[in-house]
Amino acid sequence: PFFGSVLRRADCVRRCEEPRLGAASRHRAAEEVRADFQRRVPYSYLQRAYIQLNKLEEAANAAHTFFMANPEHMEIQQDIENYKTTAGKVTLIDREAKQHMEDYSAGVRHYDKEEYKLAVEFLERALKGYYSEDEDCQIMCEGPQRFEEHEYLEYKAGLYEAIADHYMQVLACKHDCVRELATRSGRISPIENFLPLHYDYLQFAYYRVGDYVKALECAKSYLLFHPDDEDVLENAAYYEGLLEGVMDPDTIKPRKEAKTLLQRHKLESHLLQVAAAGLGYAYTEPNYWNRYGARQDEHSVPSSISSEPEDGPRLSLAKKPMPKPDRELKEGGPLLYSDVQFVYNSQQLNGTQRVLLDNVISEEQCRELHRVASGIMLAGDGYRGKTSPHTPNERFEGATVLKALKYGYEGRVPLKSARLFYDISEKARRIVESYFMLNSTLYFSYTHLVCRTALSGQQERRNDLSHPIHADNCLLDPEANECWKEPPAYTFRDYSALLYMNADFEGGEFIFTEMDAKTVTASIKPKCGRMISFSSGGENPHGVKAVTKGQRCAVALWFTLDPLYRELERIQADEVIAMLDQEHLGPSEMDINPKDEL
């Protein structure tokens, strides 16, 4: 009976597919095609096609749709800014937006504005969409699978092994639908605690609109996922107290769909672990309901509800704990050098782990560095030769420490000046390590002497930035108010610093913003010897305003606490310096081609 059922089902699926979808070659895409669609590559082509047809609004939407899945793509980001300039006010539409995600984000926005009735409407719609998407995701997992553990041509499994192998692939896919539905387009990491958060927001929103039955129902639904959450346990008890005398609170049960999904999820987990133990699979159960993803009430809420008597039940509305940083954050340590002048700390710069210093280098050292820069910099250095990687209105040039030392040794620039670049970057590293009171060594991750030059004839009506708002070790997602610490971001970077060399240009202010990439929290005008340093994470989004006249130069420094990610060119530069410090060093002893080990 079992195999008869399987054969009938296969026959039915095949007979349904061809009349409705055509031959398999038309709807069963190759892995490469699937990957391109996952990355939204077709929208990059669509954008260019729409430009040729002079359909700017459609081109802008195609560019925006591509950018949402590829936020590190600077050229597309610049294209979008250009559309805004050319077409005026453009309402950008993500044509591949997940509707349940859009509804969830809208619900949270209304919740934050204390518009609880609208919050309920959108969050309920998001839940309905979520369960519908979950059903689709489960069905799609029953499609073709790749046997990741086996070479297909050498696959010698018997009947039951083959069935088990394929079923485990399907089951793992279905089990991961929870992660898939919680992940925004273009992201790798899901929104933590995504499904339970719907119920957490709803339980309080329903309370605020006076629907205590629904509030208790949602609180109990949330507790299915986190039965020991003290805040929600207190809230549920409070709602039960409000309903006493009106109805029996025990008759109010968690939502059926939440209970069903969780039961299925636990069973999937059990089967996968059984398979791992019995069939030799490598499987580790992820934490799908991480409670660090918690509702954060930004508005001020009293410790008790004012309409309740003083001795009545209290509603616990405290903020839930966020993940603790992997190190204790400190600042205010010694600056080590008597000539370095403290200007502003984090509080004065309206942020976290920020410091502004002056006189880190002298006027003479600035001039000497500038002379070195003019002799060693290459257009597009560090950006695969792209002369205008961030904006078409400026030329970007750069050089590394090792390149400076190589040019110095060859006599193309003064060796003393090349050595200065090395020495002042080490001085900056020591200051940052000391000021932020780090308990472990701070290593160079990348050191870059950079200049941005305004291009003549291209500065009128500019509304772009010299360097778009970003964070240094995560992918900034302003719409989600998140910064995703995942590739292609340089996730190993811990601290950053910019040491400025001149002030004889217009524009070019360094700015910090909120995570929305719009609200400026601090603006710094560069000048010789001034250094801004800060932690590299999502707490410090930053960018550079347009350089509209002249050339702006700085030493850009990124640091890491992980010795595995030390800058290779810096290690080579250290060896070069050690050799230069030896007496009677002959040219034959010095082989420092910067490409040798890269």
Side-chain angles (χ1 to χ4, degrees):
F2 169 73
F3 285 107
S5 176
V6 169
L7 292 171
R8 285 191 296 275
R9 178 88 174 184
D11 175 57
C12 177
V13 168
R14 195 159 294 179
R15 279 190 290 107
C16 286
E17 272 187 352
E18 289 207 14
R20 297 190 185 190
L21 302 176
S25 60
R26 293 185 60 188
H27 62 85
R28 293 198 178 181
E31 199 67 32
E32 294 79 10
V33 176
R34 286 175 179 268
D36 280 351
F37 271 79
Q38 189 75 21
R39 289 168 42 236
R40 301 188 179 184
V41 171
Y43 286 97
S44 179
Y45 290 103
L46 266 177
Q47 179 214 187
R48 285 163 176 74
Y50 279 129
I51 290 172
Q52 297 300 318
L53 296 170
N54 200 30
K55 294 184 176 181
L56 293 185
E57 189 171 344
E58 288 89 341
N61 287 334
H64 177 67
T65 303
F66 177 79
F67 182 68
M68 294 305 292
N70 301 274
E72 77 287 353
H73 202 292
M74 292 295 184
E75 289 177 21
I76 286 286
Q77 188 174 12
Q78 189 58 55
D79 288 343
I80 293 170
E81 293 301 321
N82 292 340
Y83 291 135
K84 290 177 181 177
T85 304
T86 308
K89 189 175 181 181
V90 176
T91 303
L92 296 173
I93 298 170
D94 180 1
R95 292 173 53 181
E96 293 287 335
K98 298 177 179 178
Q99 192 56 50
H100 73 282
M101 279 280 188
E102 298 293 299
D103 289 334
Y104 171 78
S105 298
V108 172
R109 285 195 297 270
H110 287 300
Y111 179 93
D112 288 340
K113 294 176 183 176
E114 302 187 29
E115 298 168 349
Y116 296 110
K117 191 172 181 180
L118 286 170
V120 164
E121 180 184 337
F122 278 96
L123 288 167
E124 289 287 13
R125 192 188 301 169
L127 273 177
K128 186 177 179 181
Y130 180 95
Y131 287 109
S132 175
E133 287 289 324
D134 178 65
E135 187 178 351
D136 287 350
C137 182
Q138 296 283 317
I139 292 168
M140 292 301 290
C141 285
E142 295 181 3
Q145 294 291 332
R146 286 189 307 133
F147 296 118
E148 297 175 5
E149 303 284 332
H150 308 288
E151 284 291 334
Y152 178 74
L153 294 177
E154 299 175 6
Y155 191 57
K156 305 294 187 197
L159 174 63
Y160 295 104
E161 289 173 303
I163 292 172
D165 282 342
H166 193 101
Y167 180 63
M168 286 302 108
Q169 298 282 342
V170 171
L171 193 62
C173 174
K174 289 186 173 187
H175 197 56
D176 209 48
C177 283
V178 168
R179 181 185 299 278
E180 175 71 22
L181 296 182
T183 305
R184 295 180 185 275
S185 300
R187 303 277 74 82
I188 296 172
S189 308
I191 298 173
E192 292 181 337
N193 203 28
F194 182 61
L195 179 58
L197 264 178
H198 287 71
Y199 296 109
D200 195 12
Y201 280 113
L202 279 169
Q203 57 95 9
F204 186 66
Y206 271 123
Y207 166 77
R208 293 307 293 262
V209 299
D211 192 334
Y212 307 139
V213 173
K214 291 283 189 184
L216 181 56
E217 179 186 75
C218 290
K220 287 185 174 182
S221 300
Y222 178 86
L223 289 168
L224 290 173
F225 300 91
H226 303 300
D228 59 345
D229 188 306
E230 292 181 5
D231 289 340
V232 180
L233 282 168
E234 286 183 25
N235 286 6
Y238 179 70
Y239 303 146
E240 288 175 350
L242 293 174
L243 291 169
E244 280 181 7
V246 179
M247 62 182 300
D248 182 3
D250 290 338
T251 62
I252 300 169
K253 304 295 183 185
R255 293 198 177 175
K256 185 179 178 181
E257 61 271 22
K259 191 173 181 179
T260 302
L261 183 142
L262 194 58
Q263 286 174 339
R264 186 197 75 209
H265 197 71
K266 288 179 178 177
L267 181 57
E268 290 166 352
S269 175
H270 173 70
L271 284 173
L272 285 165
Q273 289 176 40
V274 167
L279 301 175
Y281 282 88
Y283 178 74
T284 303
E285 176 74 3
N287 185 355
Y288 288 98
W289 318 117
N290 193 330
R291 274 177 56 194
Y292 283 138
R295 170 174 52 84
Q296 298 294 310
D297 292 340
E298 295 298 328
H299 48 265
S300 176
V301 184
S303 60
S304 66
I305 305 305
S306 57
S307 59
E308 297 300 319
E310 281 297 314
D311 57 349
R314 301 286 177 110
L315 185 61
S316 174
L317 299 173
K319 290 188 178 183
K320 298 181 184 176
M322 292 298 286
K324 291 184 179 180
D326 53 6
R327 63 181 181 277
E328 187 179 358
L329 302 182
K330 300 178 183 177
E331 62 178 283
L335 299 177
L336 303 181
Y337 301 89
S338 59
D339 50 345
V340 175
Q341 180 185 345
F342 171 82
V343 182
Y344 293 133
N345 61 18
S346 294
Q347 186 176 2
Q348 293 163 313
L349 290 167
N350 303 314
T352 302
Q353 294 278 280
R354 301 174 181 177
V355 65
L356 183 65
L357 306 171
D358 277 346
N359 299 333
V360 175
I361 55 176
S362 67
E363 291 282 351
E364 177 55 37
Q365 288 173 322
C366 285
R367 286 191 290 270
E368 193 171 349
L369 269 181
H370 216 286
R371 287 193 292 270
V372 172
S374 61
I376 65 174
M377 288 194 305
L378 281 179
D381 184 77
Y383 288 91
R384 298 179 184 176
K386 294 180 181 177
T387 57
S388 301
H390 305 303
T391 168
N393 302 308
E394 297 174 20
R395 185 176 72 254
F396 181 94
E397 300 164 288
T400 62
V401 168
L402 187 58
K403 183 179 178 182
L405 289 173
K406 180 177 183 291
Y407 275 39
Y409 177 72
E410 293 172 351
R412 295 160 74 174
V413 297
L415 184 55
K416 180 185 174 185
S417 302
R419 172 80 187 244
L420 176 65
F421 181 14
Y422 175 91
D423 289 339
I424 65 107
S425 57
E426 172 59 20
K427 181 179 182 181
R429 187 199 66 80
R430 294 191 66 212
I431 292 171
V432 172
E433 182 181 82
S434 176
Y435 179 81
F436 289 113
M437 304 170 72
L438 303 176
N439 294 324
S440 55
T441 304
L442 195 63
Y443 301 97
F444 288 97
S445 166
Y446 192 51
T447 313
H448 210 202
L449 180 59
V450 297
C451 290
R452 304 165 186 271
T453 307
L455 297 176
S456 58
Q458 294 183 213
Q459 302 306 314
E460 288 186 17
R461 296 192 298 177
R462 273 189 72 178
N463 66 350
D464 63 340
L465 294 174
S466 176
H467 199 138
I469 303 299
H470 64 286
D472 286 342
N473 73 7
C474 52
L475 301 174
L476 189 63
D477 186 347
E479 292 190 6
N481 208 38
E482 293 276 3
C483 202
W484 307 95
K485 202 164 183 179
E486 59 189 43
Y490 299 101
T491 56
F492 47 83
R493 289 178 177 172
D494 294 298
Y495 284 89
S496 310
L498 290 149
L499 175 57
Y500 299 109
M501 294 158 48
N502 66 316
D504 55 340
F505 55 89
E506 293 181 9
E509 294 90 348
F510 177 93
I511 54 174
F512 286 114
T513 73
E514 298 284 5
M515 295 222 357
D516 62 5
K518 296 176 183 176
T519 308
V520 176
T521 57
S523 180
I524 293 143
K525 180 67 178 174
K527 69 174 186 178
C528 168
R530 172 163 285 180
M531 184 172 83
I532 179 72
S533 183
F534 48 93
S535 55
S536 303
E539 67 278 5
N540 283 318
H542 58 279
V544 179
K545 288 188 175 181
V547 179
T548 55
K549 186 177 180 181
Q551 185 183 65
R552 174 192 190 271
C553 295
V555 177
L557 302 142
W558 292 274
F559 306 105
T560 179
L561 293 166
D562 189 341
L564 289 174
Y565 293 98
R566 291 173 67 188
E567 181 182 11
L568 177 59
E569 285 205 12
R570 189 77 194 194
I571 296 171
Q572 292 175 286
D574 292 341
E575 294 169 355
V576 171
I577 290 296
M579 287 191 287
L580 286 172
D581 288 341
Q582 294 174 7
E583 290 185 357
H584 311 299
L585 179 64
S588 60
E589 298 176 54
M590 196 167 185
D591 179 13
I592 56 171
N593 183 350
K595 293 183 180 178
D596 280 353
E597 294 189 45
L598 293 180

